[in-house]
Amino acid sequence: MFRSSLAAVIVSSLGIASLGAPVAYAAGPSGLIAHRAVYDLELKDATDRSGIAGMFGRMVYEFNGSDCTGFTTNFRFVTQIDTGDTTRLSDQQTTTFEDLAKRTFRFETKSYTDDQLDKDVRGAAADDQKGIKVDLTQPKPRQLELIQSRFPTEHMLDIIHNAKLGKNFFEAQVFDGSDDGDKPLLATTVVGKSETPATDDPDADKAGAFAKTPFWPVTVAYFNEKSKGDAIPVYRMSFKLYENGITRDLTMDYGDFVLTGKLSKLEVLDAKACQ
């Protein structure tokens, strides 16, 4: 009962209404569609060093916009962490905007623990031909010149492009404004062959109109920019990816603990076509 009640509180706090099955949709030239996905999170594994006895929560990912106007992502990741002695509520809220044509990217991330603000990172990045220029406004103003990097939506499109070509491995520097917003990460991506959902696929039925649509199994490992040799990734994420950018059956490996994210609700959003 306690578990169900907390999950309901998390959903309510996110402002999520009851989401129906996907309806007809229109994708732009990129092939990506506007959507809102809700994932139920559970602890899969944790080392003794992590100090985590239990963990669960919810993640909401909203992707909106179009190829001509740019894409906005609203992301919220809420978990309750049980250490055995105490519990705490972790809440990360991220908003980004990415213009594919102009190669500009804006980001803002706020992190809370038990409703107390821990971190507020804001800034913008843009292609300056030699690399990317980052202007941070929070936690303190500063400017950075970083190596050439892909922004998140560009990287997603790269994954889909390589998947279609049958290229199962590639690397890229990716800047998403995470952590302190001052460095890119080296992303190594492995893409499996296209598959059709099996009858025991854990959350395929929640994908509505896409329940029987082929997907690619994808794993992306993120390393510090200057990692060499047998470096340990900062984190690793596996998921099932549809051609339209929707993902499900997530596994998030942070080293000392691993979370799973099962798609529980999906809504295709109305998006204005490019004029």
Side-chain angles (χ1 to χ4, degrees), residues 57-80:
R58 242 177 202 189
M59 182 173 74
V60 178
Y61 176 88
E62 181 176 296
F63 182 80
N64 215 334
S66 67
D67 296 81
C68 53
T69 62
F71 292 103
T72 298
T73 299
N74 288 295
F75 169 86
R76 195 164 181 184
F77 190 99
V78 182
T79 55
Q80 179 167 295

Side-chain angles (χ1 to χ4, degrees), residues 85-104:
D85 298 319
T86 62
T87 61
R88 67 179 186 269
L89 193 68
S90 174
D91 184 354
Q92 178 182 326
Q93 304 171 23
T94 298
T95 298
T96 67
F97 173 79
E98 185 174 342
D99 188 316
L100 295 174
K102 296 179 181 179
R103 292 217 70 235
T104 58

Side-chain angles (χ1 to χ4, degrees), residues 89-202:
L89 193 68
S90 174
D91 184 354
Q92 178 182 326
Q93 304 171 23
T94 298
T95 298
T96 67
F97 173 79
E98 185 174 342
D99 188 316
L100 295 174
K102 296 179 181 179
R103 292 217 70 235
T104 58
F105 178 67
R106 297 196 303 267
F107 56 94
E108 177 180 354
T109 296
K110 293 182 178 181
S111 301
Y112 299 83
T113 300
D114 293 332
D115 297 324
Q116 298 297 313
L117 181 65
D118 293 325
K119 182 181 286 188
D120 183 358
V121 178
R122 305 180 203 177
D127 184 4
D128 70 353
Q129 297 183 340
K130 295 181 181 179
I132 59 171
K133 180 180 179 181
V134 179
D135 288 302
L136 287 170
T137 56
Q138 286 283 2
K140 62 180 180 180
R142 58 178 174 146
Q143 292 187 337
L144 302 165
E145 292 284 348
L146 304 178
I147 63 173
Q148 190 63 255
S149 304
R150 305 296 278 169
F151 297 132
T153 303
E154 289 179 320
H155 188 235
M156 173 63 76
L157 290 171
D158 290 344
I159 295 174
I160 294 170
H161 176 70
N162 280 287
K164 290 180 178 179
L165 293 177
K167 186 176 180 180
N168 62 4
F169 179 84
F170 71 99
E171 292 185 341
Q173 296 286 347
V174 178
F175 180 84
D176 61 5
S178 59
D179 293 329
D180 295 321
D182 58 357
K183 61 181 179 296
L185 292 173
L186 174 63
T188 63
T189 303
V190 177
V191 183
K193 293 182 179 179
S194 178
E195 299 179 17
T196 301
T199 55
D200 59 348
D201 205 329

Side-chain angles (χ1 to χ4, degrees), residues 22 32-35 37 39 61 156 160 207 210 215 239-248 263 266-268:
L32 303 178
I33 64 169
H35 67 282
Y39 303 88
Y61 176 88
M156 173 63 76
I160 294 170
F210 313 115
F215 62 84
F239 49 90
K240 292 172 180 175
L241 172 66
Y242 293 101
E243 186 177 349
N244 54 28
I246 291 174
T247 61
R248 63 175 179 83
L263 182 66
L266 176 68
E267 181 182 16
V268 172

